[in-house]
Amino acid sequence: MPALVLLGAQWGDEGKGKATDLLGGSVDYVVRYQGGNNAGHTVVVGDQKYALHLLPSGILSPGCTPVIGNGVVVDPSVLFSELNGLNDRGVDTSKLLISGNAHVITPYNVTVDKVTERFLGKRKIGTTGRGIGPTYADKINRVGIRIQDLYDESILTQKVEAALDGKNQLLTKVFNRRAIEVGQVVEELLGYADRLKPYVADTVLVLNQALEQDKVVLFEGGQGTLLDIDHGTYPFVTSSNPTAGGACTGAGVGPTKISRVIGILKAYTTRVGSGPFPTELFDEDGEALRRIGGERGVTTGRDRRCGWFDAVIARYATRVNGLTDFFLTKLDVLTGWEQIPVCVAYEIDGRRVEELPYSQTDFHHAKPVYEYLPGWSEDITKAKSFSDLPKNAQDYVKALEEMSGAPISAIGVGPGRDETIEVNSFL
């Protein structure tokens, strides 16, 4: 089973970095296939904590080749800052590969993102302000800048001119901002070219050849299923496809090559940014989940909104991704509650609804229907097998598995690399 997709099954921040790192020692390539530095992973190795924003988590696994695929948008300044930080800590980053077809986040993309979000006021989407959305918009509008364009100054200049023709009109006449100079942007982007060059490759060819040679390739999604531009809680979503189908387009690998799709589920639910969130808590339980779980965005630094586990969105994630397994994270955070509510359905206008409503209006009005499961007080962070867990914790996991529609093959019982119970092997 050489090709696996690993993705978030909620609104992101489920602990994908921990899951990818757990598999990293057993795979040959780890590929980011969408998003940019608006997604963050925290990986704990021994007593060292690493915060990754753009780089694949596999960069921390010796022998693994990390790849940034064509579906990712790349801010070169962020990339180099992250590489420098890892190099300073003794991490070898020389094996990194970057698709020449990946799009570049330009300075004007960041500017447009920030001024647009500010202009929206109360109607804001809750973006990170890092230029992700405008870069994907340029890609779709066919005025985007790709990594390969940095090696042809004439083409680069023409593309920057085309992009700024409209954007400068918007900035000066709508937002009352100063126009951006073409030459300044071109000079800055060309300044990245030499350092980028050793990493740039035809990653589609590399990955397909690797799969033909029975190498193990792990495709790592950023954000989560409910933030997918097509299948998430639109318009409060990201600008790309974190769902499993995005791995095919964002890495250039056909769907018949994918053998396993692993969804990462937090034992409760969190969300960053605006948008509907049926199980969100505004009481002391929500604050306790935030405090105990350390729920602050790795990339954004924003407090995450917290709520109880939502089985409706877990079932939805299983369906739209074709999930074969779940990795359940942060079970240890729930230690200490006498009973734990789990959302099993929604009430919408007096109706019980057990599947995610396709209507944005209905989802905004959804109220959670809870079942209450008995909690546990024992410390579970030292558990090495499923049988080591207290009975109530075992029952909680089994209930979530039954409600979610796919087997739970691994359980995170602490933040450390070794604080994981593997129920079934992913490989």
Side-chain angles (χ1 to χ4, degrees), residues 290-302:
R290 186 176 298 110
R291 184 185 70 255
I292 299 168
E295 296 299 350
R296 180 175 288 267
V298 177
T299 294
T300 64
R302 294 182 289 188

Side-chain angles (χ1 to χ4, degrees), residues 182-220:
V182 172
Q184 184 177 346
V185 174
V186 171
E187 182 181 358
E188 180 176 335
L189 294 178
L190 288 174
Y192 297 124
D194 286 345
R195 188 173 176 192
L196 273 172
K197 198 163 190 176
Y199 302 114
V200 180
D202 181 352
T203 57
V204 172
L205 179 62
V206 169
L207 293 173
N208 278 280
Q209 287 179 336
L211 290 171
E212 289 167 5
Q213 296 165 10
D214 291 327
K215 302 288 187 181
V216 180
V217 180
L218 177 64
F219 299 92
E220 173 188 60

Side-chain angles (χ1 to χ4, degrees), residues 90-110:
V91 177
D92 179 14
T93 61
S94 62
K95 297 182 71 173
L96 174 68
L97 298 178
I98 304 173
S99 171
N101 288 339
H103 279 246
V104 178
I105 300 174
T106 67
Y108 52 78
N109 292 136
V110 177

Side-chain angles (χ1 to χ4, degrees), residues 129-409:
R130 287 166 166 80
I132 311 296
T135 305
Y136 277 114
D138 280 0
K139 178 179 179 176
I140 299 303
N141 287 327
R142 290 162 291 189
V143 293
I145 309 297
R146 298 191 293 179
I147 294 284
Q148 61 173 283
D149 297 329
L150 305 188
Y151 302 100
D152 188 320
E153 185 173 352
S154 176
I155 287 178
L156 177 62
T157 303
Q158 292 175 48
K159 288 191 172 186
V160 173
E161 286 175 345
L164 284 178
D165 276 347
K167 287 180 175 58
N168 275 335
Q169 295 290 323
L170 181 71
L171 289 171
T172 57
K173 296 181 178 179
V174 177
F175 297 123
N176 196 29
R177 298 289 294 258
R178 187 180 305 167
I180 297 172
E181 296 181 9
V182 172
Q184 184 177 346
V185 174
V186 171
E187 182 181 358
E188 180 176 335
L189 294 178
L190 288 174
Y192 297 124
D194 286 345
R195 188 173 176 192
L196 273 172
K197 198 163 190 176
Y199 302 114
V200 180
D202 181 352
T203 57
V204 172
L205 179 62
V206 169
L207 293 173
N208 278 280
Q209 287 179 336
L211 290 171
E212 289 167 5
Q213 296 165 10
D214 291 327
K215 302 288 187 181
V216 180
V217 180
L218 177 64
F219 299 92
E220 173 188 60
Q223 292 91 27
T225 297
L226 274 294
L227 290 178
D228 187 279
I229 186 70
D230 287 291
H231 304 292
T233 50
Y234 191 90
F236 304 99
V237 291
T238 194
S239 303
S240 57
N241 294 107
T243 45
C248 298
T249 54
V253 172
T256 55
K257 302 285 181 69
I258 306 297
S259 53
R260 206 156 184 180
V261 184
I262 305 163
I264 313 304
L265 271 180
K266 196 173 285 185
Y268 47 100
T269 311
T270 61
R271 174 166 201 171
V272 171
S274 306
F277 182 0
T279 67
E280 184 173 9
L281 297 168
F282 301 95
D283 57 11
E284 59 185 18
D285 283 332
E287 182 54 41
L289 288 173
R290 186 176 298 110
R291 184 185 70 255
I292 299 168
E295 296 299 350
R296 180 175 288 267
V298 177
T299 294
T300 64
R302 294 182 289 188
D303 283 343
R304 296 176 185 139
R305 300 157 63 190
C306 295
W308 299 120
F309 185 86
D310 189 331
V312 180
I313 66 172
R315 285 195 292 275
Y316 177 75
T318 301
R319 184 163 62 249
V320 299
N321 292 298
L323 295 180
T324 58
D325 303 82
F326 279 116
F327 187 135
L328 185 70
T329 63
K330 291 198 168 185
L331 183 64
D332 53 300
V333 173
L334 296 180
T335 299
W337 269 272
E338 288 188 17
Q339 59 177 6
I340 305 171
V342 174
C343 173
V344 297
Y346 300 143
E347 181 186 320
I348 303 173
D349 297 329
R351 298 176 291 115
R352 181 185 172 102
V353 176
E354 297 193 356
E355 300 297 343
L356 194 79
Y358 77 91
S359 162
Q360 176 184 343
T361 301
D362 281 352
F363 194 54
H364 272 277
H365 291 92
K367 298 178 181 178
V369 176
Y370 287 117
E371 285 186 7
Y372 294 85
L373 302 178
W376 61 91
S377 58
E378 300 92 331
D379 177 13
I380 66 171
T381 59
K382 301 297 187 291
K384 298 300 180 186
S385 66
F386 188 72
S387 60
D388 290 339
L389 295 173
K391 182 179 184 305
N392 286 351
Q394 293 183 30
D395 291 344
Y396 184 80
V397 172
K398 290 175 182 176
L400 266 50
E401 182 177 71
E402 183 176 347
M403 294 174 188
S404 301
I408 293 174
S409 293

